[in-house]
Structures are given as C-alpha cells and as structure tokens.
C-alpha cells in the first residue's frame, strides 16, 4: 500500500490536510479518546490518505482527507463494514451529502464538529446518520478535527459507495 517515488524510497499517500494530523493526535491525547489516539499514533505512518472522489469540490482538497482502515479498500480487507478516519483542517466545511443505503456513525476523537448546525460535537461524542440523510459538516475555525467513522450497509452498497453532493440551495 506504499507509493514508491524513487528506487529504494517509499512514501505514503499524503494530502495537504495531513499537515494537521500531529496536532489533531496531540489534542486527542488530552481527551477521553486518548487510548484510541495512542493506538492511532502507532499506525499513523501506515495510513493512506485519500479523497474518494473523481472530482473533489473546490477547496476541499486542502482541508479534508480520509484513511480507510478496514473495508473493501483498507489494509484490513472485509466486505461487511468500512471503518476509517476523517481529518478536517481548521475552518473546513464538508458539503451537504448523503449515503445511499449506508448507515454512518462517527465518534469525534479530537477537535469539534457541527452537523447541519445542530449543536457541537466534542471529543467522545457520537453522531449517527441513517441512510439517505443529508448532512453537512463544519469544524472549528482554529483546531483540526479527527473523526473515526463506521459505514454499515449491504455489501454491494459498501463496495460501490459514491457520495453525491447536494447543489447549493438544497
């Protein structure tokens, strides 16, 4: 799962937002999510960060990325569930979207997010999105946010999941 850039030299798939990972992990070590954060610190150099879209919405390529840990494309292969991490840079707004046939659960590991402007979720908070539920995520203007996610649904939905962003005004 490593990308080779030159003979004998390997680097992991990084994205601009991964510059905020250390700070997100450091902040998470001060929260009740610290045991999970310490486990993530031990594997952070093996995470493959990606966008998951053919065309990333403008600006999102600098403020967002995810790393699948377990699922059809993760280092732990399974077709039963997708587990991973989402990292947001400070002041990120993740556009309104929904997941077809997929239930989504998040636990905030560090930072804070708001979903559909319905409260703020601090570290340790859990968020549930049923299938087809449109949701938009914003995070702190000053701190990065790290979330763990789980997608659960039919195997064919998990294998071919494509996010559809809502148009402005929807």
């Amino acid at each position: 799962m490593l990308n080779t850039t030159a003979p004998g030299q390997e680097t992991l798939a990084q994205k601009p937002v991964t510059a905020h990972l250390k700070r997100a992990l450091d902040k998470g070590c001060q929260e009740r999510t610290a045991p999970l954060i310490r486990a993530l610190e031990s594997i952070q150099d093996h995470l493959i960060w990606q966008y998951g879209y053919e065309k990333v919405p403008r600006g999102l390529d600098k403020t967002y990325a995810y790393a699948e840990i377990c699922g059809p494309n993760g280092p732990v292969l399974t077709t039963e569930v997708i587990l991973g991490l989402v990292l947001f840079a400070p002041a990120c707004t993740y556009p309104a979207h929904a997941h077809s046939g997929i239930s989504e659960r998040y636990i905030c590991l560090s930072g804070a997010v708001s979903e559909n402007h319905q409260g703020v979720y601090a570290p340790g908070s859990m968020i549930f999105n049923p299938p087809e539920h449109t949701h938009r995520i914003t995070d702190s203007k000053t701190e990065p946010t790290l979330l763990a996610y789980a997608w659960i649904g039919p195997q064919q939905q998990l294998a071919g999941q494509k996010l559809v962003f809502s148009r402005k005004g929807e």
Side-chain angles (χ1 to χ4, degrees):
M1 299 199 91
L2 296 174
N3 296 328
T4 303
T5 56
Q9 180 184 15
E10 296 177 332
T11 62
L12 295 172
Q14 299 294 315
K15 301 291 182 251
V17 73
T18 57
H20 299 279
L21 182 60
K22 180 177 180 349
R23 189 163 149 213
L25 292 170
D26 288 348
K27 289 285 190 177
C29 280
Q30 301 168 23
E31 304 292 343
R32 61 182 170 175
T33 56
L36 181 53
I37 293 290
R38 283 192 292 278
L40 293 173
E41 285 177 326
S42 71
I43 64 164
Q44 67 180 317
D45 294 336
H46 302 286
L47 297 172
I48 306 297
W49 294 94
Q50 50 197 324
Y51 297 125
Y53 310 102
E54 290 178 25
K55 184 173 171 33
V56 180
R58 191 167 65 180
L60 200 58
D61 61 331
K62 294 176 181 59
T63 60
Y64 148 88
Y66 78 95
E68 186 172 309
I69 295 172
C70 179
N73 301 305
V76 178
L77 295 175
T78 181
T79 57
E80 305 294 321
V81 66
I82 298 176
L83 305 174
L85 303 170
V86 179
L87 180 62
F88 296 113
C92 178
T93 296
Y94 193 87
H97 65 284
H99 308 275
S100 179
I102 302 293
S103 292
E104 176 182 57
R105 291 156 176 85
Y106 286 112
I107 183 167
C108 184
L109 300 176
S110 70
V113 295
S114 177
E115 187 176 277
N116 297 338
H117 299 295
Q118 297 177 346
V120 174
Y121 299 92
S125 298
M126 298 193 80
I127 305 165
F128 173 70
N129 293 310
E132 280 61 75
H133 173 73
T134 300
H135 52 287
R136 177 177 179 256
I137 301 168
T138 55
D139 75 342
S140 165
K141 292 191 184 319
T142 59
E143 297 294 331
T145 300
L146 183 64
L147 304 173
Y149 71 90
W151 283 2
I152 300 167
Q155 290 180 5
Q156 67 274 16
Q157 293 293 108
L158 291 172
Q161 183 62 212
K162 300 283 185 216
L163 293 183
V164 178
F165 292 112
S166 299
R167 291 195 269 302
K168 283 190 174 187
E170 287 185 27

